[in-house]
Amino acid sequence: MNRSASIDTPDQGLGGEGIGKESLKGSLGFLLRVAQLRSFGHFFAVMSEENVRPGEVTVLDLVRENPGIRQGVVSKTLKIKRAQMSKMVREMEAEGLIARRVPREDRRSVELRLTPAGEARIARIATRFPEIEARTGKRLTAAEARELRRLLIKMTGLEDKEGE
Amino acid sequence: MNRSASIDTPDQGLGGEGIGKESLKGSLGFLLRVAQLRSFGHFFAVMSEENVRPGEVTVLDLVRENPGIRQGVVSKTLKIKRAQMSKMVREMEAEGLIARRVPREDRRSVELRLTPAGEARIARIATRFPEIEARTGKRLTAAEARELRRLLIKMTGLEDKEGE
DNA sequence: TTAATTTTGTCTACTAGGAAACAAATACCG
DNA sequence: CGGTATTTGTTTCCTAGTAGACAAAATTAA
């Protein structure tokens, strides 16, 4: 096990699980992290059942809603860096879920569209979105969930500008 | 550049940045993700200035507040998996920031304490926490920030049980 | 006590994601 | 027009984090 720590006499090291005061622990940033992890946990669990990767699903969903969307716009919208998006799109193309097309009017860019297989997959998975949403907000009343959504939108400034 | 996509005629692919309707994009999960990314961005920016890694800082902060805390408790509290915590602690010990000690009464576990160097580092960095917190909540009124905190705590169930 | 189970931490892959350097195409500016 | 700057996507390398198997110690059951 390769434990190099010293073995020593006790020392009132809190035996139980109790935690003392807080500082970062009570910060908004930490709470957001915990909330996001919990929410993602639900999402991930369902996507595992469906044998798909979470990231793929968000891309499929956005491309479905916006056929021909440029790859960079997907990237900005979903807050995924271009490098990562590039990899994902390559894999999804290889899986036959997505089609890339370089438009004549701007040959740097790439337009994305779903293949029929992609359409089928996202359609199947999308039926489970409400379930995930419900699980995420299950401890809140409807009014509270609405207020939480409003505060998050305000906090992030998402109302004003779409892309960063 | 190795572009294998077909080059073809236009096709009303939305040239602008505009996005259509929403589905996952308006979900609570996505909003939480965006909010968390923004918050983490502030945290990360400051930690970069201070030349420390964000993960380390959260551990230092928690150990400072709870000297002798067991590694697994840190892990549960910060929602970091044990494997990752194991690596972080090893590195932080190598950096001389943290001391590990195996208590006699449970020789599986490891108690963590800060070294003087660790104390010094977290003390310096902690002075910047309020700044980060302020930046995270800068678009909200004080009342809204308080309400957001309340809703996140309720949503995650953090009030009841510390662990899990 | 002995045997099975659980807890605790570690190790070895593997995945997701980010940063920086790059190339190609386009936009801007003189 | 010609040259510079910007945008867009890709590639390579690196870090953070996860999953799963494992070992050792402690706990529970028989």
Side-chain angles (χ1 to χ4, degrees):
Chain A
M1 228 209 225
N2 197 15
R3 294 276 188 75
S4 54
S6 59
I7 297 179
D8 216 343
T9 52
D11 176 12
Q12 100 277 345
L14 35 110
E17 302 286 313
I19 295 297
K21 310 179 307 173
E22 89 286 326
S23 69
L24 265 187
K25 238 193 76 196
S27 72
L28 204 45
F30 180 69
L31 290 175
L32 283 168
R33 187 177 118 86
V34 173
Q36 201 271 324
L37 284 176
R38 181 170 292 268
S39 154
F40 182 76
H42 301 145
F43 190 60
F44 184 79
V46 170
M47 295 312 126
S48 287
E49 287 173 30
E50 302 283 346
N51 292 309
V52 290
R53 276 165 296 185
E56 280 189 0
V57 173
T58 61
V59 173
L60 288 175
D61 178 66
L62 186 59
V63 174
R64 177 177 58 159
E65 302 285 351
N66 305 275
I69 190 172
R70 282 190 289 109
Q71 190 169 312
V73 176
V74 175
S75 184
K76 273 182 210 139
T77 304
L78 300 180
K79 314 289 181 196
I80 295 171
K81 291 288 175 297
R82 279 165 314 169
Q84 175 63 9
M85 186 61 63
S86 196
K87 289 183 229 171
M88 287 177 57
V89 167
R90 194 200 319 133
E91 289 161 13
M92 293 170 78
E93 189 183 32
E95 290 178 272
L97 298 173
I98 249 184
R100 306 183 336 161
R101 208 199 50 164
V102 173
R104 248 202 281 130
E105 70 277 14
D106 185 349
R107 307 213 336 278
R108 295 167 301 184
S109 66
V110 174
E111 290 178 357
L112 303 179
R113 283 179 182 74
L114 298 188
T115 63
E119 293 275 6
R121 175 161 308 182
I122 189 59
R124 170 167 59 82
I125 293 166
T127 61
R128 310 211 45 193
F129 289 168
E131 164 193 343
I132 297 167
E133 190 74 354
R135 266 206 251 175
T136 298
K138 70 170 173 249
R139 296 180 209 240
L140 301 178
T141 68
E144 284 174 333
R146 226 176 307 121
E147 177 67 357
L148 176 55
R149 191 177 272 101
R150 184 186 76 81
L151 291 173
L152 290 172
I153 289 171
K154 186 170 181 196
M155 194 205 106
T156 53
L158 267 183
E159 351 109 269
D160 320 319
K161 36 177 186 169
E162 286 291 346
E164 162 47 350
Chain B
M1 228 210 228
N2 196 15
R3 294 274 188 75
S4 54
S6 60
I7 298 181
D8 217 340
T9 53
D11 178 10
Q12 99 280 343
L14 35 112
E17 301 286 311
I19 294 298
K21 309 178 311 173
E22 90 285 328
S23 70
L24 264 188
K25 237 194 75 194
S27 71
L28 205 45
F30 180 70
L31 290 175
L32 284 167
R33 187 177 118 88
V34 173
Q36 201 271 324
L37 284 176
R38 181 170 292 267
S39 152
F40 182 75
H42 301 146
F43 189 61
F44 184 78
V46 171
M47 295 311 126
S48 287
E49 287 173 29
E50 302 283 345
N51 292 307
V52 290
R53 277 166 294 186
E56 281 190 359
V57 173
T58 61
V59 173
L60 289 175
D61 179 67
L62 186 58
V63 174
R64 176 177 60 161
E65 302 284 351
N66 305 274
I69 191 173
R70 282 189 289 108
Q71 190 169 311
V73 176
V74 175
S75 184
K76 273 182 209 140
T77 304
L78 298 180
K79 314 289 183 194
I80 295 171
K81 292 286 177 297
R82 278 167 316 171
Q84 174 64 8
M85 186 60 63
S86 197
K87 286 185 234 170
M88 288 177 56
V89 167
R90 194 201 318 132
E91 289 162 12
M92 294 170 79
E93 190 183 32
E95 291 179 89
L97 298 173
I98 249 185
R100 305 184 336 161
R101 208 200 50 165
V102 174
R104 246 202 280 127
E105 71 275 14
D106 185 349
R107 303 206 347 272
R108 294 168 303 184
S109 66
V110 174
E111 291 177 357
L112 303 179
R113 284 178 181 73
L114 298 188
T115 63
E119 294 275 5
R121 176 162 305 183
I122 189 60
R124 171 168 58 84
I125 293 166
T127 62
R128 311 214 39 195
F129 289 168
E131 165 192 342
I132 297 167
E133 190 75 354
R135 265 206 254 177
T136 298
K138 70 170 173 250
R139 296 182 209 239
L140 302 178
T141 68
E144 284 174 334
R146 226 177 306 122
E147 178 67 357
L148 177 55
R149 194 178 268 102
R150 182 185 79 79
L151 290 172
L152 290 172
I153 289 172
K154 185 171 181 194
M155 194 206 106
T156 54
L158 266 185
E159 353 110 271
D160 319 319
K161 34 176 191 170
E162 287 290 346
E164 203 289 346

